[in-house]
Amino acid sequence: MCKWTLWLPAMAVWALSSSCWGQEAGASALQVDGMPDQVARIMESQQSAWNRGDLDGFMDGYLKSDSLMFIGKSGVTYGHGATLQRYKTSYPDKQTMGALTFVNRMWIALGPNAGWLMGEWALDRTDAEDASGMYTLLWRNIQGQWVIVADHSS
């Protein structure tokens, strides 16, 4: 029997389980090259909170400050409280919120304590039209905690 006959199936199993075909074992589905693991975990937590209808939990990923900036189709909102209220007005209940999915596309490190993330969001809703768009998030590591300091979602 040819050595290749035994070697090729073993390589196929290795390739399907290796990081060259997806994220490494234990890595977040939202992880992209160069992005801190903590950022991916925060976004997973945000996605889960949204899908539970928990906007307060969703906002945990944002800087809790009046300097937070959210840019959307209706303009600029400043501050954590004002951004949370904007979400609560736009999405008054779990049904309106739908099921959120993030797909991160690119992380650009802006130094050891800052980064820019570009990705896509989608809402799957049963009683309303689905919605989707793009986001760019400016992240900062402040006292060991990564937080979103600016969000431009369209």
Side-chain angles (χ1 to χ4, degrees):
M1 175 182 266
C2 175
K3 288 193 286 186
W4 290 104
T5 306
L6 297 174
W7 184 77
L8 284 175
M11 287 304 293
V13 169
W14 172 82
L16 289 173
S17 64
S18 77
S19 63
C20 66
W21 288 92
Q23 71 263 13
E24 296 177 26
S28 165
L30 294 172
Q31 186 70 44
V32 293
D33 286 345
M35 186 171 79
D37 293 339
Q38 187 184 52
V39 170
R41 286 192 305 272
I42 290 167
M43 291 193 73
E44 283 181 341
S45 177
Q46 286 184 298
Q47 189 172 268
S48 294
W50 183 281
N51 293 336
R52 288 190 313 271
D54 178 8
L55 286 173
D56 293 297
F58 174 79
M59 287 295 295
D60 283 346
Y62 288 86
L63 178 67
K64 291 174 178 59
S65 166
D66 288 341
S67 66
L68 172 67
M69 181 175 33
F70 180 90
I71 306 162
K73 66 180 180 181
S74 59
V76 181
T77 302
Y78 292 99
H80 188 274
T83 301
L84 175 58
Q85 187 55 49
R86 179 199 159 281
Y87 274 118
K88 287 184 175 184
T89 300
S90 298
Y91 302 97
D93 55 44
K94 189 174 181 325
Q95 188 172 349
T96 307
M97 292 170 72
L100 174 65
T101 304
F102 288 132
V103 178
N104 291 331
R105 297 293 180 196
M106 180 189 318
W107 173 267
I108 297 175
L110 302 174
N113 293 310
W116 178 88
L117 179 65
M118 186 268 295
E120 301 172 40
W121 60 268
L123 293 179
D124 182 19
R125 300 187 277 201
T126 54
D127 292 344
E129 189 174 327
D130 292 347
S132 63
M134 303 290 295
Y135 54 82
T136 56
L137 305 174
L138 179 58
W139 288 82
R140 287 194 52 213
N141 186 333
I142 299 173
Q143 298 177 344
Q145 178 67 38
W146 285 94
V147 291
I148 300 165
V149 298
D151 177 339
H152 182 188
S153 293
S154 58

